[in-house]
């Protein structure tokens, strides 16, 4: 149930009845001060200003036209023109009861769209590092949220399995005849070889040339190159799978559709772009000049799509990929999770794809970019020796730190439970610290902060959940079987009820804007609201059984909402800490 939407629809109807036909976007807020009302809107003041009329009288006239029903207890106007709404307590109680029994927590069905989410997408032959953390975590939260509200979500792991790194590796193997490597291909060995190959590539022009020739050789289907390429790709994928498992990421093998997958489409697309006059030869390379996007000198931006040596580049692969996603996968929307440095590039390839007619007008292309992860000194987060932080090492460190915290609180925990719970806590802390920030901003990576029981952390919310579960256990009552109604009398009960009923509006907002931090803030506040309720309203020892039952129901729904909310972020709960 989306209370915000109900109120705004009713005010809109009243406006139309009053003769205001323009479709305004009405902002409705839950108030933090109960004496004002449960919800408030300042929208009428904005409209009154545009209509050049007195907001107070205008608001008064509008509320007279809001249809009376069982949802509203009272609707009033306060100066200069706020509409204040008190919701009917019995109605709230009824909706809460419905949500207790609903596995979607009462979310209304939407009209589903096919949404492609391109995320994680690490480069092959390299270990995943901290730079892949945000794309992987935020992308995975988004797919969970979109799927939950009912969209048809297609996950795509656009792995970088076709680039220059393979040219270097293959050329190095050719020159140095590393038979041992070929016999035992693991990501560790690939990385070692790559470091040597890259050094040679940067120092030796002839080797660089040979490497580029090997890229072309691979791309044109040379069997030996393909054989080695497949082995190296598979070794990296297998390794990355262990990272996804540790991080509770829902990407699987079937979601991999990397750069190489579009290879057979490239000659035709290049031809098509040439025929349509979109791509032209410039000094031997095939280039698209974009009028709408200018370079620093103010000239149309040139995007190379095929190099002089015949090698295809990253851009043409992405153009083919868009065509495939629109024509074959029938996307309504494509969302890219990469950092902000790729924004300009994405704008360019979208423009080319639209110009070529590969994307119809109704398809939305969105770049959900994100900021950087910084260390305390505000520089990019690196190891002590100044190297890129490997993801696996970072995750293990988080799990180890969680283990210490856990054992301090529960020294007698079994080894099995310690293992399981420290992963839930450690991984939850890392993910939550990232998700709770608005994704467009940079954030500082801080172990102490993210692993604290206090403040806006996963642990604080997970702990609130655990506490509720222990209350439920103590009560010995199956809440789903309670037949008496929820009673909303005390302010703490009402506040908790209103908070619980904000679930849908928050989820929809996060889904539409691609902002999981809205869900984090919601869960944090919900946990805080529950704490206040718990401190002020006795649950198990209330004077009347009906009240105790009512409060148990509110507690149960809080636990259910926290669990669902955290799961949508890819974070798990536990029954005890
Ligand atoms: N592999 C790229 C990187 O590591 C990200 C790919 C993003 N997706 C895309 N379709 N370009 O930066």
């Amino acid at each position: 149930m989306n209370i915000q939407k109900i109120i705004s629809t009713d005010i809109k109807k009243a406006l139309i009845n009053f003769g205001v036909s323009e479709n305004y976007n009405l902002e409705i807020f839950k108030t933090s001060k109960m004496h004002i009302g449960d919800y408030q809107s300042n929208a009428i003041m904005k409209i009154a200003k545009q209509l050049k009329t007195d907001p107070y009288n205008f608001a008064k006239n509008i509320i007279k036209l809001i249809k009376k029903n069982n949802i509203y207890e009272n609707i009033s106007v306060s100066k200069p023109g706020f509409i204040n709404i008190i919701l009917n307590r019995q109605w709230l109680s009824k909706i809460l009861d419905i949500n207790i029994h609903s596995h979607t927590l009462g979310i209304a069905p939407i009209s589903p769209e096919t949404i492609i989410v391109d995320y994680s997408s690490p480069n092959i032959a390299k270990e995943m590092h901290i730079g892949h953390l945000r794309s992987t975590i935020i992308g995975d939260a988004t797919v969970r949220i979109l799927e939950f509200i009912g969209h048809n979500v297609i996950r795509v792991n656009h792995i970088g399995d076709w680039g220059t790194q393979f040219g270097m590796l293959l050329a190095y193997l050719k020159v140095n005849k590393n038979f041992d490597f070929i016999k035992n291909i693991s990501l560790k060995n690939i990385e070692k070889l790559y470091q040597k190959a890259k050094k040679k590539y940067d120092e030796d022009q002839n080797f660089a040339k040979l490497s580029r020739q090997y890229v072309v050789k691979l791309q044109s289907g040379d069997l030996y190159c393909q054989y080695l390429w497949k082995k190296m790709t598979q070794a990296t994928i297998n390794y990355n799978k262990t990272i996804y498992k540790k991080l509770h990421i829902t990407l699987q093998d079937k979601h991999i559709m990397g750069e190489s997958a579009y290879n057979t489409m490239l000659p035709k697309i290049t031809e098509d772009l040439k025929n349509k006059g979109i791509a032209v030869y410039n000094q031997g390379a095939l280039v698209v000049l974009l009028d709408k996007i200018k370079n620093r000198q103010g000239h149309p931006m040139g995007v190379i799509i095929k190099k002089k040596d015949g090698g295809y580049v990253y851009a043409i692969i992405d153009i083919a990929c868009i065509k495939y996603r629109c024509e074959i996968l029938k996307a309504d929307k494509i969302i890219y999770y990469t950092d902000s440095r790729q924004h300009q590039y994405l704008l360019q390839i979208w423009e080319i794809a639209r110009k070529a007619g590969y994307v119809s007008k109704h398809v939305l292309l969105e770049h959900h970019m994100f900021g950087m992860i910084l260390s305390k000194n505000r520089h990019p987060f690196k190891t002590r020796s100044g190297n890129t932080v490997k993801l696996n090492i970072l995750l293990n460190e988080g799990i180890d730190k969680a283990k210490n915290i856990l054992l301090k609180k529960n020294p007698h925990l079994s080894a099995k439970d310690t293992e399981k719970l420290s992963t839930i806590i450690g991984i939850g802390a890392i993910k939550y610290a990232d998700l709770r920030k608005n994704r467009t901003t940079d954030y500082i990576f801080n172990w102490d902060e993210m692993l604290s029981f206090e403040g806006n952390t996963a642990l604080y919310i997970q702990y609130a959940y655990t506490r509720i579960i222990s209350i439920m256990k103590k009560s010995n009552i199956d809440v789903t079987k309670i037949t008496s109604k929820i009673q909303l009398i005390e302010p703490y009960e009402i506040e908790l009820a209103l908070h619980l009923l904000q679930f849908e509006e928050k989820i929809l907002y996060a889904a539409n804007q691609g902002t999981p931090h809205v869900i984090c803030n919601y869960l944090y506040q919900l946990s805080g609201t529950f704490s206040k309720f718990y401190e002020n309203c006795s649950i198990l020892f209330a004077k009347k059984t009906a009240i105790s039952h009512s409060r148990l129901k509110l507690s149960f729904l809080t636990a259910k909402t926290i669990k669902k909310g955290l799961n949508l972020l890819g974070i798990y709960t536990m029954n005890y800490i």
Side-chain angles (χ1 to χ4, degrees):
M1 186 66 62
N2 188 339
I3 296 179
Q4 234 177 14
K5 199 165 155 200
I6 293 175
I7 299 174
S8 88
T9 309
D10 281 350
I11 298 183
K12 260 183 204 165
K13 277 188 198 150
L15 278 166
I16 292 170
N17 280 347
F18 192 77
V20 179
S21 54
E22 200 178 323
N23 197 4
Y24 287 100
N25 185 19
L26 300 182
E27 284 181 15
I28 318 282
F29 307 96
K30 183 185 154 316
T31 64
S32 47
K33 297 181 194 90
M34 209 170 270
H35 65 274
I36 296 173
D38 302 330
Y39 274 80
Q40 185 174 64
S41 175
N42 60 6
I44 292 300
M45 294 186 299
K46 287 188 194 153
I47 301 171
K49 202 170 170 190
Q50 281 177 26
L51 300 177
K52 296 196 173 66
T53 178
D54 169 50
Y56 186 72
N57 284 326
F58 182 50
K60 284 217 140 193
N61 285 328
I62 293 301
I63 67 163
K64 274 187 218 145
L65 294 171
I66 296 178
K67 258 218 188 121
K68 300 281 163 289
N69 55 25
N70 64 346
I71 298 177
Y72 305 116
E73 185 74 48
N74 187 39
I75 306 177
S76 62
V77 173
S78 60
K79 288 215 159 148
F82 288 106
I83 293 185
N84 306 314
I85 290 160
I86 297 177
L87 297 159
N88 181 294
R89 303 312 181 217
Q90 265 117 45
W91 180 75
L92 290 178
S93 155
K94 212 171 84 195
I95 304 301
L96 290 167
D97 248 324
I98 295 173
N99 292 359
I100 284 181
H101 298 282
S102 151
H103 73 277
T104 59
L105 285 152
I107 287 215
I110 50 144
S111 45
E113 289 179 345
T114 297
I115 304 181
I116 296 187
V117 185
D118 176 326
Y119 72 107
S120 190
S121 310
N123 291 332
I124 293 301
K126 292 173 196 166
E127 206 177 315
M128 282 175 81
H129 55 79
I130 187 138
H132 298 109
L133 188 66
R134 301 206 79 182
S135 170
T136 308
I137 292 180
I138 309 174
D140 206 57
T142 304
V143 294
R144 287 168 185 259
I145 297 165
L146 292 173
E147 224 158 41
F148 173 67
I149 65 172
H151 287 300
N152 168 28
V153 177
I154 303 179
R155 293 163 172 76
V156 183
N157 194 352
H158 186 86
I159 56 172
D161 60 357
W162 214 224
T164 335
Q165 75 266 38
F166 286 106
M168 293 182 211
L169 284 162
L170 292 168
Y172 196 86
L173 283 173
K174 171 81 189 166
V175 174
N176 292 286
K177 302 194 172 40
N178 303 55
F179 297 121
D180 279 352
F181 170 83
I182 298 171
K183 269 192 248 148
N184 180 20
I185 298 183
S186 66
L187 182 54
K188 237 195 186 108
N189 291 341
I190 300 172
E191 280 218 308
K192 273 193 210 144
L193 198 79
Y194 178 72
Q195 273 164 12
K196 289 188 205 154
K198 174 84 171 72
K199 193 160 176 271
K200 202 165 167 60
Y201 181 88
D202 291 336
E203 288 167 358
D204 178 348
Q205 274 194 13
N206 284 333
F207 181 74
K209 199 170 155 203
L210 186 69
S211 301
R212 284 193 289 273
Q213 281 167 2
Y214 264 92
V215 176
V216 180
K217 226 172 159 179
L218 170 70
Q219 292 181 348
S220 31
D222 177 274
L223 284 182
Y224 181 67
C225 290
Q226 291 255 339
Y227 170 78
L228 283 175
W229 165 79
K230 258 198 196 124
K231 285 256 178 212
M232 291 194 270
T233 305
Q234 201 50 52
T236 320
I237 291 175
N238 289 346
Y239 183 83
N240 289 349
K241 270 206 279 204
T242 62
I243 303 256
Y244 290 150
K245 191 162 174 237
K246 210 174 268 178
L247 250 185
H248 309 310
I249 297 300
T250 57
L251 281 170
Q252 296 171 15
D253 278 354
K254 63 178 181 205
H255 303 125
I256 294 178
M257 186 137 184
E259 293 172 18
S260 66
Y262 305 93
N263 195 42
T264 52
M265 290 173 73
L266 304 183
K268 249 199 179 150
I269 292 190
T270 325
E271 215 38 48
D272 190 40
L273 292 177
K274 259 190 324 195
N275 292 342
K276 287 179 175 154
I278 297 171
V280 287
Y281 277 106
N282 191 335
Q283 296 171 14
L286 201 56
V287 180
V288 176
L289 292 176
L290 293 171
D291 305 328
K292 278 197 191 159
I293 306 173
K294 303 265 192 282
N295 63 17
R296 281 205 199 121
Q297 287 79 37
H299 301 307
M301 181 73 93
V303 181
I304 297 182
I305 57 167
K306 195 173 179 185
K307 288 190 284 190
K308 233 186 343 199
D309 61 15
Y312 288 110
V313 294
Y314 191 52
I316 189 72
I317 294 172
D318 255 325
I319 293 166
C321 168
I322 296 179
K323 189 171 190 285
Y324 180 85
R325 289 172 180 178
C326 290
E327 290 173 7
I328 310 291
L329 301 180
K330 307 263 179 261
D332 293 309
K333 191 192 228 179
I334 308 174
I335 309 178
Y336 294 77
Y337 280 93
T338 63
D339 71 31
S340 38
R341 287 170 300 185
Q342 295 198 30
H343 189 60
Q344 172 86 336
Y345 162 76
L346 286 174
L347 291 180
Q348 291 167 2
I349 55 153
W350 294 349
E351 176 63 17
I352 300 172
R354 287 207 188 266
K355 247 181 150 173
Y358 302 155
V359 188
S360 76
K361 252 194 266 157
H362 83 271
V363 176
L364 294 175
L365 302 171
E366 291 181 3
H367 181 201
H368 289 190
M369 55 183 136
F370 39 83
M372 307 251 293
I373 305 180
L374 306 174
S375 58
K376 281 183 193 150
N377 59 12
R378 296 209 139 266
H379 290 304
F381 192 59
K382 292 251 161 82
T383 61
R384 267 196 210 126
S385 49
N387 293 323
T388 319
V389 180
K390 302 229 160 119
L391 209 43
N392 197 31
I393 293 178
L394 184 93
L395 301 184
N396 288 345
E397 197 176 341
I399 295 170
D400 277 350
K401 284 183 189 290
K403 203 177 280 174
N404 289 339
I405 294 174
L406 203 56
L407 288 174
K408 236 187 234 167
K409 259 196 173 262
N410 298 281
H412 306 300
L413 211 57
S414 75
K416 201 173 149 211
D417 281 345
T418 311
E419 213 51 49
K420 196 172 142 205
L421 297 181
S422 48
T423 307
I424 294 179
I425 296 174
I427 297 298
I430 295 173
K431 284 178 131 179
Y432 191 88
D434 194 307
L435 291 167
R436 86 179 176 97
K437 295 282 177 185
N438 190 337
R439 66 175 155 73
T440 53
T441 54
D442 298 341
Y443 77 91
I444 293 173
F445 195 91
N446 183 332
W447 285 120
D448 295 336
E449 220 173 87
M450 69 176 77
L451 277 160
S452 166
F453 281 95
E454 302 298 321
N456 192 356
T457 65
L459 206 42
Y460 172 77
I461 301 169
Q462 285 167 326
Y463 190 53
Y465 174 84
T466 305
R467 226 164 40 162
I468 304 174
I469 296 299
S470 91
I471 300 168
M472 310 301 307
K473 274 191 189 147
K474 261 192 215 148
S475 81
N476 241 333
I477 291 172
D478 179 354
V479 173
T480 56
K481 302 236 165 76
I482 296 176
T483 48
S484 57
K485 291 196 178 97
I486 291 176
Q487 304 183 23
L488 301 173
I489 300 155
E490 297 287 333
Y492 296 103
E493 293 169 327
I494 297 167
E495 186 56 25
L496 181 59
L498 289 171
H499 228 99
L500 286 167
L501 291 175
Q502 277 193 298
F503 182 71
E504 178 166 342
E505 63 190 53
K506 297 294 178 188
I507 297 291
L508 289 188
Y509 187 89
N512 294 336
Q513 308 292 321
T515 49
H517 74 276
V518 170
I519 300 180
C520 295
N521 289 339
Y522 169 69
L523 295 175
Y524 174 55
Q525 280 163 14
L526 178 62
S527 306
T529 308
F530 180 82
S531 269
K532 287 204 191 104
F533 158 80
Y534 177 69
E535 283 156 23
N536 291 284
C537 303
S538 175
I539 300 173
L540 298 177
F541 304 105
K543 283 195 189 111
K544 290 184 186 153
T545 314
I547 293 184
S548 177
H549 282 184
S550 161
R551 290 177 181 166
L552 272 172
K553 276 184 158 183
L554 283 172
S555 307
F556 175 82
L557 191 56
T558 307
K560 191 172 166 177
T561 308
I562 290 180
K563 184 173 183 158
K564 186 83 235 170
L566 282 180
N567 287 356
L568 291 179
L569 301 172
I571 297 172
Y572 297 118
T573 45
M574 53 228 145
N575 289 350
Y576 67 94
I577 295 184

